[in-house]
Amino acid sequence: MQGAMDELLAMDSDQLKAQMEEAMAMLTSSDMQQNLLGQREEVLAMMEAQGTATPEEIAEYRADPAKFEAEMSKAFGQMKEMFSDPEAMNEVVQMMKGFGNVMRDPAAALSKLGGVLQDALADDDKIEEARLQLLNDPSVAGNEAISEMFGTAEMQGILNDPEKWKKSVKEGQRMMMGGEKAAGVGMGEL
């Protein structure tokens, strides 16, 4: 995986965009769509395991294969549309580059983030201010990959609870600055 990521990161934006367009063309091809439709149970099991559909939706798709096929066709159409939009494709390329830089040296990224958090979130008022900013606009995190993380359901649950947020920030600061371990995982073990 790291080798493939290194190859992608070595590409300039145009090369990365061309590579992504090729991958998307393959992923959104009618052959791929037919393959997925032919493996309906496996796809539904994966959707269920990943939480990308509610249990009710999974039950509907199992009971009504035509509905499953219609939803998959709709999803493929949306993917094709999204990746045919040059602006959306550029955003994906930039996000991948940002994520790749974090993955290339996660310890440095965490250390840098820890220092920023330590300075920017020095007291409870600043912690609350950051929570409100992230709720309003996750892009204030500065890095596309980190901004995306703040959009997940789990992080939204934390951001919507001021006490849970403050506790998480303080625990994260301790972990990133080499303090106590949280949930049995220390910096050297990530």
Side-chain angles (χ1 to χ4, degrees):
M1 169 96 176
Q2 186 60 45
M5 184 62 79
D6 289 341
E7 280 184 44
L8 289 174
L9 290 174
M11 296 178 185
D12 66 29
S13 293
D14 289 335
Q15 291 171 318
L16 185 56
K17 184 178 174 184
Q19 191 74 27
M20 296 262 317
E21 287 171 344
E22 184 179 320
M24 285 303 113
M26 183 191 78
L27 288 173
T28 58
S29 71
S30 58
D31 289 344
M32 180 63 78
Q33 188 172 357
Q34 288 305 312
N35 186 26
L36 285 174
L37 292 174
Q39 298 179 13
R40 182 170 58 95
E41 273 310 309
E42 292 87 346
V43 171
L44 290 172
M46 183 177 68
M47 290 170 68
E48 191 171 32
Q50 294 177 347
T52 56
T54 66
E56 294 80 17
E57 289 170 325
I58 298 291
E60 279 184 58
Y61 297 151
R62 284 192 170 116
D64 186 357
K67 181 172 180 141
F68 172 75
E69 187 171 330
E71 288 298 316
M72 291 303 290
S73 292
K74 181 179 165 185
F76 270 78
Q78 289 171 339
M79 280 183 10
K80 283 180 183 178
E81 186 178 303
M82 183 177 88
F83 286 103
S84 66
D85 176 4
E87 190 173 306
M89 185 59 99
N90 286 335
E91 287 179 24
V92 170
V93 167
Q94 292 311 312
M95 183 180 75
M96 281 192 65
K97 286 218 169 261
F99 181 72
N101 289 334
V102 169
M103 293 305 294
R104 183 182 291 136
D105 193 353
L110 282 175
S111 177
K112 182 177 179 183
L113 181 60
V116 169
L117 286 175
Q118 193 68 33
D119 294 341
L121 304 174
D123 61 48
D124 290 352
D125 290 337
K126 288 183 178 180
I127 291 172
E128 178 61 9
E129 183 181 329
R131 182 185 76 83
L132 294 172
Q133 287 177 347
L134 286 166
L135 269 173
N136 185 47
D137 181 11
S139 71
V140 299
N143 177 295
E144 187 93 19
I146 294 172
S147 297
E148 292 289 322
M149 177 187 72
F150 283 111
T152 65
E154 181 181 1
M155 285 303 296
Q156 286 295 306
I158 292 170
L159 284 168
N160 282 307
D161 182 335
E163 287 304 311
K164 200 183 281 187
W165 168 252
K166 183 167 67 172
K167 180 181 175 193
S168 295
V169 167
K170 290 185 178 208
E171 182 178 315
Q173 286 173 328
R174 281 192 300 274
M175 287 174 58
M176 288 186 198
M177 299 311 285
E180 66 188 56
K181 294 180 180 183
V185 178
M187 284 295 288
E189 297 169 294
L190 292 177

